[in-house]
Each structure stands twice: as structure tokens, then as C-alpha cells.
Amino acid sequence: MTTLLLTLLLALAQALAPGARPLPPPLVVTRWWDPPPTPYAAGHRGVDLAAPVGAELRAVGPGRVHHAGPVAGRGVLSLTLPGGLRTTYEPVRPLVAEGEEVATGQVVAVLTEGTHCSAPCLHWGLLSGTTYLNPLTLLPRPTPRLLPLTPAAD
């Protein structure tokens, strides 16, 4: 019974989670999420993903464009996802407008040059209200596979 319940919970979580990556695989994390101990302390409120300038960025889930435009001199795109989560992409040139609905996997922006990383990168963030979360939790989970305890006979 416990196994069935855990399997159903895992399937439900997969169904509710957004299903696309912001960039094609493989994703290369150049700087990991490092939440600050307090809201105003230093930290890294997202992850940096290596990508070339001009890379097409995709919506990780269905939602609505919350913001598309400059913030502090950088192009920023912010999408509100189901459940109130908000994901952010920068530095970008948005290809969508505020209020527009987007679909999972839709190309929503193009990566531009920025000063956040030493090499071109996407800074990808996730918020729930005013709390920053690890955006890597939005990525599809791999399917577990069980291997035999002994090698197969030829």
C-alpha cells in the first residue's frame, strides 16, 4: 500500500511540475543556487546556465508573461506559472509581451550579452511570492530504472 501511495504521489508531482528546460540539454550549471540566510543578505538567487549569446530560451511551463523588458539595464523576462510560481530569465531579449500567455516549451526570449557571468550565461531564477527557490526543481525528473543484481547471461 505504501509503495502504491508513493508511486501515485510521484506521478502527481510529475504531472503538476512544468515539463521543459529553458535551454536544450545538456544543461551546464556554471554557478549553483545559493540562497541567502536572510532576505537582504548576499547569496545567489538562481542558477547560471552556460549558453551562447543568441540561444533560444523556452518557457519551462505554461503561464503568463509577468514582465518583459529592462530591469537595471538588463533585459529580463518573468513568467507566472500555475500555482503562483514565477520564473525569471536574464539577460535576454524577450520575444513575448506582458500579459501574453505562453505554452510549455515555447521560445520566449533570446540570450543577450551580460555582465553577470564571466562567459555568456543565462541567470535563471524561481520565486514563490517573495521567496527565492532553486529553479532546478522545475526540471523534469529522470525515470528511475532498476538494474539486475547480476549480469545477464549471454
Side-chain angles (χ1 to χ4, degrees):
M1 183 67 160
T2 303
T3 303
L4 177 61
L5 182 59
L6 289 173
T7 303
L8 289 173
L9 287 173
L10 180 60
L12 180 60
Q14 289 283 30
L16 295 176
R21 300 170 187 269
L23 291 161
L27 294 181
V28 177
V29 177
T30 60
R31 187 170 175 198
W32 295 92
W33 181 64
D34 181 22
T38 65
Y40 302 104
H44 194 240
R45 293 164 173 85
V47 295
D48 294 340
L49 303 173
V53 170
E56 292 181 332
L57 307 174
R58 299 184 179 281
V60 296
R64 184 175 301 278
V65 178
H66 178 77
H67 175 79
V71 172
R74 291 185 298 268
V76 175
L77 176 65
S78 179
L79 305 175
T80 301
L81 304 174
L85 293 176
R86 196 169 65 233
T87 186
T88 58
Y89 306 75
E90 64 176 273
V92 300
R93 179 175 47 85
L95 302 176
V96 290
E98 285 183 25
E100 188 176 330
E101 289 198 28
V102 298
T104 302
Q106 177 181 339
V107 175
V108 291
V110 174
L111 188 66
T112 60
E113 297 221 11
T115 58
H116 182 76
C117 303
S118 59
C121 79
L122 167 67
H123 178 77
W124 181 38
L126 177 65
L127 294 108
S128 176
T130 59
T131 303
Y132 286 88
L133 305 172
N134 183 350
L136 295 175
T137 61
L138 293 177
L139 297 178
R141 305 288 187 272
T143 302
R145 298 189 190 276
L146 297 177
L147 301 175
L149 292 175
T150 59
D154 288 336

